[in-house]
Each structure stands twice: as C-alpha cells, then as structure tokens.
Amino acid sequence: MPFKRFVEVGRVALVNYGKDYGRLVVIVDIIDQNRALIDAPDMERSQMNLKRLSLTDIKIDIKRVPKKKDLIAAMEAADVKNKWEKSSWGRKLIVRKRRASLNDFDRFKIMLAKIKRAGAVRTELAKLKKTAA
Amino acid sequence: MPLDVTNRRPKTIATSKKGTSNKIKAKEAVPLKKQGEPRWYSADDVPRAIPSRKSHAKPTRLRSSITPGTVLIVLAGRFRGKRVVFLKQLASGLLLVTGPYKINGVPIRRLNQAYVIATSTKIDVSSVDVKSIDDKFFAKAKEAPKKKKDGEEFFEQKEEKKVISDARKKEQSRVDGALLPLIKKVPQLYHYLNAKFTLTNGVYPHAIKF
C-alpha cells in the first residue's frame, strides 16, 4: 500500500489537537522531521508539530512560504473550501457540528421526522413485499 | 448585677463641701432602681432570639437564560419532565409558569428556578397579561375551624376533595386563551409542549445544548 498523502508544501491539513482544533491549514514549509510551518487565511503563520495535523487529499499550488495574499489567491484557484465541504470527510464534520448545535426543540422535531420517515419506508416496503409475493 | 431589695440606706450624691453636714435628706436620696431596668428577671436562662440576617432587599436573581416566554423543563415535583411556558418572576423569587393546561395539564403554578432547565426555545408572551397574578393568588384559603373530633371520628378516613377555586379557573382560561394561539403559530410547538422530556441513548445532559 503506497502512501498517497504527503507532507509537502501546499498540502492542506486539518488541525486535530490544540487551540486551533478543527481548522483547515496549508503546509507552507517544512522545518524539520517533526515540525512544519503552517498558514491559513484567517490566522498567523506558525509552526506546528506534524502529530497535530491530519493530512487531507487536497493540495494547492504554491511556492515555499508564499505571501498571505498569494496564499489566499492559490486557495481560491484550487477551490479548497468547496472541495473540502463536498468531500465525505468534510461533510461528516459539518453534520457533527450541526448535531452538536441542536437545541431541545430541534431534537424533538428530528425525532418526529425520523419516526415519519421510518413509517413511510415501512409502508413502501410492505407494498413491495405484497407485489413480490 | 442582681437587684438588691434589702432595705439599705439610700445613698446620696456626695457633695462634700467643707462644713456642710453629710446628713441624708430624704428628698435628695438617689432612688434604689435605675430608670429603664426591668422589675423582674426570670429564674431560668431565656435564650435570646438571634436577629435574622436575611436581607429581603434584593429579589432572587433570575438566571439570564430564563426570560418571559421561555420553555422550561420541570425537573422535580408532580410535573417532572413536563415542558412549560415561563410567564414572569414573582416577588417571592419563584417562577410563574403555565402548561398551558390544555396542552400538558400543568396549571398556573409557581416553580423554583433551581428545579428547572431553561431551553433556548422562546415564545413572545408580551401580549399575555399576568400583572394581576402574584404570590397572594397562591395563598391557601383559610379553612373553617375544625371541630374537635372524638375517638371514633379520629380514626375515620377523612376524604377531602380538592376543589379548585373559580378564580383560578378563570385566570387559567384567560392566560391560556392568550397563549394558545401564539403556540399554534409555531409549527410542532404544541406537540413539543405536550411531550415530556426524556433521555435516550447517546444523549448526555452535560454535553447537549438545551
């Protein structure tokens, strides 16, 4: 099984530990075996241990340590935001966030909706079983 | 100092001038008792009542999450688990709530905010007038003085049926009449207030948002 996601300049990664948990960042330089210089449009460029990063499939075309506006332009060109939100990993995170923000009334409405959907599925299934029999 | 009741020679205020006689004059004698001291002390020690340090100057602080129209979850008491609508805070500090009665059977009632979870669901109850309801509304009606029961009557099971006053019923229907159309406007809110709050698998109260 060859590796597919590499730590390289331009690799988009997700921070999985610490103050910036959940943020999408771009690796703009590699410091040493363990650390990389990372940057994102809404944060200051900083170093981070690679153990705190989860690499994604997305890679953008930048030179080593680009200026902030060049970074933003490259991210727009590669359409990082949309690619991320469409990817199954990105979608899962969005759903998780949505579920965590539900209030009691929302949870109640969802319960009713689930029951309704299950009921609709069951009636359809019953119909299909009947015609198949 | 115990009061000396023995007949002692009254003392005079000494104004010894040279030459004046030190003889007691009855009119100038200082009386035995000082003004203001009690005439009688009890034999046993009477405990002194400690003055109450309760300050009723400030009313109970209402949690910022509880505002008029908030849906509350009752955690204890007869209506535990029910979702009710908060109307206002009374002078005693207790919360005035109503079911509404038609939806979940909770009448206009007082609750302690310690036994309540405030949800973030709010209804606009500015049009519901609850100014006339205060703590006196909930005061127990004074019962007629009971006749002293004799031996037999004492052991009889007395069946007292709780009668809800007409005043309460009137207020209930007035408040609920104003609230119900507001509730029906929001989809599924009627059923939400009808249902009880329960915990299910994977729902941890410390981790969920109310």
Side-chain angles (χ1 to χ4, degrees):
Chain A
M1 308 155 311
F3 286 96
K4 291 213 185 80
R5 299 172 185 169
F6 299 97
V7 173
E8 52 193 330
V9 173
R11 176 66 57 185
V12 174
L14 187 73
V15 179
N16 60 30
Y17 183 91
K19 194 174 65 100
D20 295 306
Y21 181 88
R23 202 196 275 266
L24 265 186
V25 295
V26 179
I27 297 175
V28 296
D29 200 359
I30 299 171
I31 298 170
D32 65 12
Q33 192 194 322
N34 298 317
R35 288 176 302 154
L37 195 65
I38 54 147
D39 203 354
D42 55 345
M43 74 185 264
E44 277 180 28
R45 200 190 302 144
S46 60
Q47 64 95 22
M48 201 174 266
N49 192 311
L50 295 175
K51 290 186 178 176
R52 291 197 178 193
L53 296 174
S54 300
L55 304 177
T56 69
D57 285 330
I58 307 169
K59 185 174 181 296
I60 63 173
D61 187 21
I62 48 167
K63 290 210 160 57
R64 198 174 63 89
V65 195
K67 288 214 181 335
K68 200 67 148 211
K69 61 182 172 83
D70 295 339
L71 176 70
I72 295 171
M75 284 182 92
E76 295 276 310
D79 203 17
V80 170
K81 192 163 185 279
N82 282 330
K83 271 203 200 143
W84 176 244
E85 284 170 7
K86 286 203 196 87
S87 73
S88 82
W89 185 358
R91 277 187 279 130
K92 271 189 267 177
L93 288 190
I94 289 170
V95 169
R96 224 180 278 167
K97 206 175 178 184
R98 182 83 185 87
R99 287 207 179 130
S101 72
L102 291 174
N103 76 18
D104 193 46
F105 190 20
D106 293 334
R107 262 176 268 125
F108 178 77
K109 286 191 262 190
I110 284 174
M111 178 194 66
L112 292 187
K114 278 188 179 172
I115 293 170
K116 200 171 183 188
R117 181 179 66 179
V121 167
R122 239 179 261 132
T123 48
E124 264 309 305
L125 185 64
K127 270 191 224 158
L128 290 171
K129 277 191 180 164
K130 213 172 180 189
T131 55
Chain B
M1 276 224 306
L3 196 65
D4 206 351
V5 198
T6 54
N7 225 343
R8 273 212 190 147
R9 272 170 68 183
K11 294 181 188 166
T12 54
I13 307 162
T15 46
S16 50
K17 283 185 189 161
K18 239 191 171 176
T20 59
S21 68
N22 225 356
K23 278 195 182 162
I24 303 137
K25 287 181 189 165
K27 285 181 188 168
E28 284 174 6
V30 176
L32 273 167
K33 279 192 298 249
K34 272 196 273 180
Q35 296 289 341
E37 277 205 30
R39 301 186 76 210
W40 177 78
Y41 287 86
S42 74
D44 304 316
D45 283 322
V46 177
R48 226 171 145 202
I50 303 165
S52 162
R53 296 230 228 154
K54 279 190 189 168
S55 117
H56 291 280
K58 288 191 195 159
T60 312
R61 220 173 89 206
L62 190 62
R63 254 185 275 161
S64 60
S65 54
I66 303 177
T67 62
T70 311
V71 175
L72 308 172
I73 298 173
V74 183
L75 295 172
R78 184 166 169 220
F79 299 105
R80 58 186 154 272
K82 301 260 189 187
R83 294 171 171 120
V84 295
V85 179
F86 170 66
L87 297 170
K88 74 170 185 184
Q89 186 184 27
L90 300 168
S92 62
L94 299 171
L95 313 179
L96 182 73
V97 298
T98 180
Y101 187 72
K102 273 217 174 70
I103 301 182
N104 51 25
V106 180
I108 298 180
R109 207 165 205 266
R110 294 185 295 179
L111 294 178
N112 189 320
Q113 65 172 313
Y115 303 102
V116 138
I117 293 180
T119 67
S120 45
T121 313
K122 299 200 196 279
I123 310 167
D124 181 12
V125 293
S126 48
S127 59
V128 182
D129 178 22
V130 282
K131 275 191 275 240
S132 56
I133 307 176
D134 55 358
D135 286 300
K136 286 198 213 78
F137 180 79
F138 299 98
K140 283 206 177 108
K142 284 232 163 104
E143 288 180 27
K146 289 191 188 148
K147 287 184 279 183
K148 280 208 172 160
K149 298 182 185 166
D150 54 358
E152 276 185 30
E153 275 187 30
F154 192 80
F155 291 103
E156 266 180 27
Q157 289 268 340
K158 202 176 177 195
E159 260 200 59
E160 274 182 43
K161 236 203 155 182
K162 192 174 179 197
V163 177
I164 301 157
S165 71
D166 282 334
R168 288 236 190 164
K169 287 189 187 162
K170 209 175 85 177
E171 280 300 306
Q172 186 76 55
S173 54
R174 182 182 67 82
V175 170
D176 287 359
L179 253 183
L180 271 166
L182 298 167
I183 291 170
K184 289 200 175 149
K185 259 194 247 162
V186 182
Q188 297 179 308
L189 188 61
Y190 187 99
H191 302 286
Y192 175 59
L193 292 173
N194 195 337
K196 269 200 191 178
F197 173 77
T198 54
L199 292 173
T200 55
N201 277 344
V203 173
Y204 307 108
H206 71 288
I208 57 174
K209 190 182 138 215
F210 281 97

mmCIF file of all heavy atoms in Angstrom, chain A residues 60-94:
data_model
loop_
_atom_site.group_PDB
_atom_site.id
_atom_site.type_symbol
_atom_site.label_atom_id
_atom_site.label_comp_id
_atom_site.label_asym_id
_atom_site.label_seq_id
_atom_site.Cartn_x
_atom_site.Cartn_y
_atom_site.Cartn_z
ATOM 1 N N ILE A 60 -2.597 22.335 -2.851
ATOM 2 C CA ILE A 60 -2.679 23.546 -3.678
ATOM 3 C C ILE A 60 -1.298 23.885 -4.242
ATOM 4 O O ILE A 60 -0.278 23.412 -3.731
ATOM 5 C CB ILE A 60 -3.261 24.741 -2.897
ATOM 6 C CG1 ILE A 60 -2.364 25.139 -1.733
ATOM 7 C CG2 ILE A 60 -4.658 24.432 -2.402
ATOM 8 C CD1 ILE A 60 -2.848 26.414 -1.054
ATOM 9 N N ASP A 61 -1.299 24.699 -5.272
ATOM 10 C CA ASP A 61 -0.057 25.005 -5.993
ATOM 11 C C ASP A 61 0.517 26.304 -5.454
ATOM 12 O O ASP A 61 0.077 27.393 -5.834
ATOM 13 C CB ASP A 61 -0.378 25.102 -7.488
ATOM 14 C CG ASP A 61 0.882 25.240 -8.322
ATOM 15 O OD1 ASP A 61 1.965 24.870 -7.816
ATOM 16 O OD2 ASP A 61 0.772 25.708 -9.473
ATOM 17 N N ILE A 62 1.473 26.205 -4.551
ATOM 18 C CA ILE A 62 2.119 27.422 -4.025
ATOM 19 C C ILE A 62 3.619 27.196 -3.966
ATOM 20 O O ILE A 62 4.089 26.060 -3.909
ATOM 21 C CB ILE A 62 1.621 27.789 -2.604
ATOM 22 C CG1 ILE A 62 1.643 26.576 -1.671
ATOM 23 C CG2 ILE A 62 0.254 28.426 -2.649
ATOM 24 C CD1 ILE A 62 1.472 26.916 -0.230
ATOM 25 N N LYS A 63 4.347 28.350 -3.931
ATOM 26 C CA LYS A 63 5.791 28.254 -3.720
ATOM 27 C C LYS A 63 6.032 28.183 -2.212
ATOM 28 O O LYS A 63 5.160 28.485 -1.410
ATOM 29 C CB LYS A 63 6.454 29.493 -4.330
ATOM 30 C CG LYS A 63 6.410 29.520 -5.841
ATOM 31 C CD LYS A 63 7.601 30.242 -6.416
ATOM 32 C CE LYS A 63 7.856 29.909 -7.842
ATOM 33 N NZ LYS A 63 6.718 30.172 -8.745
ATOM 34 N N ARG A 64 7.244 27.866 -1.818
ATOM 35 C CA ARG A 64 7.587 27.777 -0.402
ATOM 36 C C ARG A 64 7.343 29.115 0.290
ATOM 37 O O ARG A 64 7.820 30.140 -0.148
ATOM 38 C CB ARG A 64 9.072 27.384 -0.285
ATOM 39 C CG ARG A 64 9.479 26.840 1.042
ATOM 40 C CD ARG A 64 10.929 26.351 0.983
ATOM 41 N NE ARG A 64 11.849 27.439 0.702
ATOM 42 C CZ ARG A 64 12.402 28.201 1.662
ATOM 43 N NH1 ARG A 64 12.104 27.983 2.927
ATOM 44 N NH2 ARG A 64 13.220 29.184 1.326
ATOM 45 N N VAL A 65 6.608 29.116 1.368
ATOM 46 C CA VAL A 65 6.263 30.301 2.170
ATOM 47 C C VAL A 65 5.770 31.466 1.308
ATOM 48 O O VAL A 65 6.488 32.448 1.110
ATOM 49 C CB VAL A 65 7.461 30.769 3.051
ATOM 50 C CG1 VAL A 65 6.944 31.731 4.113
ATOM 51 C CG2 VAL A 65 8.119 29.592 3.725
ATOM 52 N N PRO A 66 4.564 31.352 0.774
ATOM 53 C CA PRO A 66 4.040 32.456 -0.029
ATOM 54 C C PRO A 66 3.538 33.593 0.863
ATOM 55 O O PRO A 66 3.283 33.396 2.047
ATOM 56 C CB PRO A 66 2.880 31.815 -0.790
ATOM 57 C CG PRO A 66 2.404 30.751 0.128
ATOM 58 C CD PRO A 66 3.588 30.248 0.878
ATOM 59 N N LYS A 67 3.404 34.774 0.229
ATOM 60 C CA LYS A 67 2.801 35.887 0.954
ATOM 61 C C LYS A 67 1.343 35.550 1.181
ATOM 62 O O LYS A 67 0.749 34.760 0.454
ATOM 63 C CB LYS A 67 2.932 37.166 0.129
ATOM 64 C CG LYS A 67 4.341 37.687 0.070
ATOM 65 C CD LYS A 67 4.303 39.196 0.041
ATOM 66 C CE LYS A 67 5.631 39.882 -0.053
ATOM 67 N NZ LYS A 67 6.804 39.247 0.402
ATOM 68 N N LYS A 68 0.765 36.258 2.183
ATOM 69 C CA LYS A 68 -0.602 35.909 2.570
ATOM 70 C C LYS A 68 -1.562 36.019 1.386
ATOM 71 O O LYS A 68 -2.394 35.139 1.150
ATOM 72 C CB LYS A 68 -1.062 36.812 3.719
ATOM 73 C CG LYS A 68 -2.234 36.256 4.492
ATOM 74 C CD LYS A 68 -1.884 35.018 5.259
ATOM 75 C CE LYS A 68 -2.672 34.884 6.524
ATOM 76 N NZ LYS A 68 -1.989 34.211 7.575
ATOM 77 N N LYS A 69 -1.453 37.114 0.631
ATOM 78 C CA LYS A 69 -2.432 37.279 -0.451
ATOM 79 C C LYS A 69 -2.208 36.259 -1.555
ATOM 80 O O LYS A 69 -3.153 35.843 -2.212
ATOM 81 C CB LYS A 69 -2.439 38.706 -0.988
ATOM 82 C CG LYS A 69 -1.153 39.208 -1.593
ATOM 83 C CD LYS A 69 -1.389 40.664 -2.001
ATOM 84 C CE LYS A 69 -0.114 41.304 -2.428
ATOM 85 N NZ LYS A 69 0.272 41.049 -3.793
ATOM 86 N N ASP A 70 -0.947 35.829 -1.758
ATOM 87 C CA ASP A 70 -0.705 34.776 -2.747
ATOM 88 C C ASP A 70 -1.308 33.466 -2.281
ATOM 89 O O ASP A 70 -1.845 32.684 -3.079
ATOM 90 C CB ASP A 70 0.792 34.578 -2.974
ATOM 91 C CG ASP A 70 1.424 35.827 -3.591
ATOM 92 O OD1 ASP A 70 0.660 36.624 -4.195
ATOM 93 O OD2 ASP A 70 2.641 35.986 -3.470
ATOM 94 N N LEU A 71 -1.215 33.225 -0.973
ATOM 95 C CA LEU A 71 -1.799 32.003 -0.416
ATOM 96 C C LEU A 71 -3.305 31.995 -0.628
ATOM 97 O O LEU A 71 -3.890 30.998 -1.067
ATOM 98 C CB LEU A 71 -1.470 31.901 1.083
ATOM 99 C CG LEU A 71 -2.114 30.712 1.797
ATOM 100 C CD1 LEU A 71 -1.514 29.406 1.359
ATOM 101 C CD2 LEU A 71 -2.010 30.854 3.298
ATOM 102 N N ILE A 72 -3.925 33.154 -0.304
ATOM 103 C CA ILE A 72 -5.385 33.226 -0.451
ATOM 104 C C ILE A 72 -5.786 33.025 -1.905
ATOM 105 O O ILE A 72 -6.736 32.306 -2.223
ATOM 106 C CB ILE A 72 -5.907 34.573 0.101
ATOM 107 C CG1 ILE A 72 -5.657 34.628 1.620
ATOM 108 C CG2 ILE A 72 -7.377 34.745 -0.192
ATOM 109 C CD1 ILE A 72 -5.937 35.981 2.242
ATOM 110 N N ALA A 73 -5.042 33.637 -2.802
ATOM 111 C CA ALA A 73 -5.352 33.510 -4.235
ATOM 112 C C ALA A 73 -5.229 32.060 -4.683
ATOM 113 O O ALA A 73 -6.076 31.553 -5.435
ATOM 114 C CB ALA A 73 -4.409 34.404 -5.038
ATOM 115 N N ALA A 74 -4.183 31.379 -4.198
ATOM 116 C CA ALA A 74 -3.985 29.977 -4.592
ATOM 117 C C ALA A 74 -5.099 29.092 -4.053
ATOM 118 O O ALA A 74 -5.558 28.152 -4.719
ATOM 119 C CB ALA A 74 -2.627 29.495 -4.084
ATOM 120 N N MET A 75 -5.556 29.424 -2.844
ATOM 121 C CA MET A 75 -6.635 28.622 -2.262
ATOM 122 C C MET A 75 -7.940 28.819 -3.037
ATOM 123 O O MET A 75 -8.720 27.883 -3.209
ATOM 124 C CB MET A 75 -6.829 28.995 -0.790
ATOM 125 C CG MET A 75 -5.741 28.420 0.109
ATOM 126 S SD MET A 75 -5.994 28.802 1.843
ATOM 127 C CE MET A 75 -6.925 27.381 2.367
ATOM 128 N N GLU A 76 -8.138 30.051 -3.483
ATOM 129 C CA GLU A 76 -9.342 30.315 -4.282
ATOM 130 C C GLU A 76 -9.274 29.559 -5.601
ATOM 131 O O GLU A 76 -10.257 28.966 -6.050
ATOM 132 C CB GLU A 76 -9.453 31.824 -4.573
ATOM 133 C CG GLU A 76 -9.661 32.679 -3.342
ATOM 134 C CD GLU A 76 -11.119 32.750 -2.928
ATOM 135 O OE1 GLU A 76 -11.962 33.043 -3.806
ATOM 136 O OE2 GLU A 76 -11.422 32.508 -1.758
ATOM 137 N N ALA A 77 -8.072 29.577 -6.197
ATOM 138 C CA ALA A 77 -7.903 28.924 -7.504
ATOM 139 C C ALA A 77 -8.139 27.437 -7.407
ATOM 140 O O ALA A 77 -8.729 26.822 -8.301
ATOM 141 C CB ALA A 77 -6.492 29.212 -8.028
ATOM 142 N N ALA A 78 -7.684 26.852 -6.304
ATOM 143 C CA ALA A 78 -7.863 25.406 -6.136
ATOM 144 C C ALA A 78 -9.226 25.057 -5.567
ATOM 145 O O ALA A 78 -9.576 23.875 -5.481
ATOM 146 C CB ALA A 78 -6.770 24.869 -5.217
ATOM 147 N N ASP A 79 -9.980 26.091 -5.184
ATOM 148 C CA ASP A 79 -11.337 25.886 -4.655
ATOM 149 C C ASP A 79 -11.341 24.952 -3.457
ATOM 150 O O ASP A 79 -12.116 23.990 -3.387
ATOM 151 C CB ASP A 79 -12.243 25.347 -5.771
ATOM 152 C CG ASP A 79 -13.696 25.655 -5.468
ATOM 153 O OD1 ASP A 79 -13.956 26.535 -4.612
ATOM 154 O OD2 ASP A 79 -14.565 25.007 -6.066
ATOM 155 N N VAL A 80 -10.446 25.263 -2.516
ATOM 156 C CA VAL A 80 -10.248 24.368 -1.366
ATOM 157 C C VAL A 80 -11.525 24.234 -0.558
ATOM 158 O O VAL A 80 -11.928 23.139 -0.163
ATOM 159 C CB VAL A 80 -9.105 24.912 -0.472
ATOM 160 C CG1 VAL A 80 -9.032 24.150 0.827
ATOM 161 C CG2 VAL A 80 -7.787 24.824 -1.209
ATOM 162 N N LYS A 81 -12.186 25.363 -0.324
ATOM 163 C CA LYS A 81 -13.348 25.346 0.568
ATOM 164 C C LYS A 81 -14.421 24.400 0.038
ATOM 165 O O LYS A 81 -14.938 23.552 0.768
ATOM 166 C CB LYS A 81 -13.893 26.772 0.700
ATOM 167 C CG LYS A 81 -14.912 26.924 1.806
ATOM 168 C CD LYS A 81 -15.103 28.407 2.153
ATOM 169 C CE LYS A 81 -16.027 28.585 3.327
ATOM 170 N NZ LYS A 81 -17.448 28.515 2.964
ATOM 171 N N ASN A 82 -14.756 24.547 -1.244
ATOM 172 C CA ASN A 82 -15.819 23.706 -1.798
ATOM 173 C C ASN A 82 -15.424 22.247 -1.857
ATOM 174 O O ASN A 82 -16.225 21.361 -1.559
ATOM 175 C CB ASN A 82 -16.210 24.207 -3.187
ATOM 176 C CG ASN A 82 -17.091 25.433 -3.068
ATOM 177 O OD1 ASN A 82 -17.823 25.577 -2.100
ATOM 178 N ND2 ASN A 82 -17.010 26.305 -4.042
ATOM 179 N N LYS A 83 -14.173 22.033 -2.247
ATOM 180 C CA LYS A 83 -13.701 20.641 -2.338
ATOM 181 C C LYS A 83 -13.814 19.965 -0.984
ATOM 182 O O LYS A 83 -14.222 18.812 -0.877
ATOM 183 C CB LYS A 83 -12.229 20.619 -2.797
ATOM 184 C CG LYS A 83 -12.035 20.589 -4.266
ATOM 185 C CD LYS A 83 -10.669 20.021 -4.595
ATOM 186 C CE LYS A 83 -10.277 20.423 -5.996
ATOM 187 N NZ LYS A 83 -8.859 20.708 -6.135
ATOM 188 N N TRP A 84 -13.431 20.727 0.046
ATOM 189 C CA TRP A 84 -13.477 20.174 1.393
ATOM 190 C C TRP A 84 -14.907 19.873 1.811
ATOM 191 O O TRP A 84 -15.196 18.802 2.335
ATOM 192 C CB TRP A 84 -12.811 21.166 2.362
ATOM 193 C CG TRP A 84 -12.884 20.761 3.798
ATOM 194 C CD1 TRP A 84 -13.524 21.390 4.793
ATOM 195 C CD2 TRP A 84 -12.287 19.608 4.387
ATOM 196 N NE1 TRP A 84 -13.378 20.716 5.986
ATOM 197 C CE2 TRP A 84 -12.623 19.617 5.755
ATOM 198 C CE3 TRP A 84 -11.499 18.550 3.892
ATOM 199 C CZ2 TRP A 84 -12.193 18.634 6.644
ATOM 200 C CZ3 TRP A 84 -11.079 17.585 4.783
ATOM 201 C CH2 TRP A 84 -11.428 17.620 6.140
ATOM 202 N N GLU A 85 -15.788 20.846 1.588
ATOM 203 C CA GLU A 85 -17.167 20.672 2.049
ATOM 204 C C GLU A 85 -17.900 19.590 1.264
ATOM 205 O O GLU A 85 -18.899 19.061 1.738
ATOM 206 C CB GLU A 85 -17.919 22.009 1.963
ATOM 207 C CG GLU A 85 -17.521 22.943 3.095
ATOM 208 C CD GLU A 85 -18.050 24.347 2.923
ATOM 209 O OE1 GLU A 85 -18.846 24.578 1.988
ATOM 210 O OE2 GLU A 85 -17.679 25.206 3.726
ATOM 211 N N LYS A 86 -17.412 19.270 0.054
ATOM 212 C CA LYS A 86 -18.063 18.219 -0.724
ATOM 213 C C LYS A 86 -17.499 16.849 -0.402
ATOM 214 O O LYS A 86 -18.164 15.843 -0.598
ATOM 215 C CB LYS A 86 -17.903 18.498 -2.226
ATOM 216 C CG LYS A 86 -18.786 19.611 -2.715
ATOM 217 C CD LYS A 86 -19.046 19.499 -4.205
ATOM 218 C CE LYS A 86 -19.599 20.808 -4.742
ATOM 219 N NZ LYS A 86 -18.520 21.750 -5.133
ATOM 220 N N SER A 87 -16.278 16.842 0.102
ATOM 221 C CA SER A 87 -15.655 15.554 0.399
ATOM 222 C C SER A 87 -16.401 14.880 1.537
ATOM 223 O O SER A 87 -17.021 15.539 2.359
ATOM 224 C CB SER A 87 -14.197 15.756 0.805
ATOM 225 O OG SER A 87 -14.133 16.309 2.108
ATOM 226 N N SER A 88 -16.322 13.568 1.599
ATOM 227 C CA SER A 88 -17.116 12.873 2.614
ATOM 228 C C SER A 88 -16.617 13.202 4.025
ATOM 229 O O SER A 88 -17.401 13.293 4.965
ATOM 230 C CB SER A 88 -17.100 11.368 2.351
ATOM 231 O OG SER A 88 -15.934 10.791 2.870
ATOM 232 N N TRP A 89 -15.280 13.389 4.152
ATOM 233 C CA TRP A 89 -14.740 13.772 5.461
ATOM 234 C C TRP A 89 -15.302 15.128 5.896
ATOM 235 O O TRP A 89 -15.772 15.295 7.023
ATOM 236 C CB TRP A 89 -13.214 13.831 5.349
ATOM 237 C CG TRP A 89 -12.447 14.088 6.604
ATOM 238 C CD1 TRP A 89 -12.908 14.325 7.851
ATOM 239 C CD2 TRP A 89 -11.030 14.150 6.696
ATOM 240 N NE1 TRP A 89 -11.884 14.529 8.721
ATOM 241 C CE2 TRP A 89 -10.717 14.425 8.033
ATOM 242 C CE3 TRP A 89 -9.985 13.994 5.766
ATOM 243 C CZ2 TRP A 89 -9.402 14.559 8.481
ATOM 244 C CZ3 TRP A 89 -8.680 14.125 6.213
ATOM 245 C CH2 TRP A 89 -8.386 14.408 7.557
ATOM 246 N N GLY A 90 -15.260 16.073 4.979
ATOM 247 C CA GLY A 90 -15.758 17.415 5.276
ATOM 248 C C GLY A 90 -17.244 17.411 5.617
ATOM 249 O O GLY A 90 -17.685 18.091 6.542
ATOM 250 N N ARG A 91 -18.003 16.613 4.858
ATOM 251 C CA ARG A 91 -19.451 16.552 5.103
ATOM 252 C C ARG A 91 -19.737 15.986 6.490
ATOM 253 O O ARG A 91 -20.613 16.453 7.206
ATOM 254 C CB ARG A 91 -20.126 15.697 4.033
ATOM 255 C CG ARG A 91 -20.421 16.451 2.748
ATOM 256 C CD ARG A 91 -21.236 15.630 1.780
ATOM 257 N NE ARG A 91 -20.395 14.696 1.046
ATOM 258 C CZ ARG A 91 -20.668 13.400 0.930
ATOM 259 N NH1 ARG A 91 -21.748 12.882 1.490
ATOM 260 N NH2 ARG A 91 -19.856 12.615 0.256
ATOM 261 N N LYS A 92 -18.962 14.980 6.868
ATOM 262 C CA LYS A 92 -19.180 14.368 8.183
ATOM 263 C C LYS A 92 -18.965 15.393 9.291
ATOM 264 O O LYS A 92 -19.725 15.453 10.253
ATOM 265 C CB LYS A 92 -18.205 13.191 8.372
ATOM 266 C CG LYS A 92 -18.733 11.873 7.868
ATOM 267 C CD LYS A 92 -17.854 10.740 8.273
ATOM 268 C CE LYS A 92 -16.839 10.459 7.181
ATOM 269 N NZ LYS A 92 -15.885 9.395 7.549
ATOM 270 N N LEU A 93 -17.913 16.213 9.117
ATOM 271 C CA LEU A 93 -17.637 17.205 10.152
ATOM 272 C C LEU A 93 -18.753 18.233 10.246
ATOM 273 O O LEU A 93 -19.126 18.671 11.333
ATOM 274 C CB LEU A 93 -16.306 17.904 9.876
ATOM 275 C CG LEU A 93 -15.046 17.074 10.095
ATOM 276 C CD1 LEU A 93 -13.833 17.965 10.010
ATOM 277 C CD2 LEU A 93 -15.075 16.367 11.426
ATOM 278 N N ILE A 94 -19.298 18.599 9.080
ATOM 279 C CA ILE A 94 -20.391 19.586 9.080
ATOM 280 C C ILE A 94 -21.606 19.013 9.800
ATOM 281 O O ILE A 94 -22.260 19.692 10.598
ATOM 282 C CB ILE A 94 -20.734 19.999 7.635
ATOM 283 C CG1 ILE A 94 -19.594 20.849 7.063
ATOM 284 C CG2 ILE A 94 -22.036 20.780 7.597
ATOM 285 C CD1 ILE A 94 -19.720 21.103 5.588
#
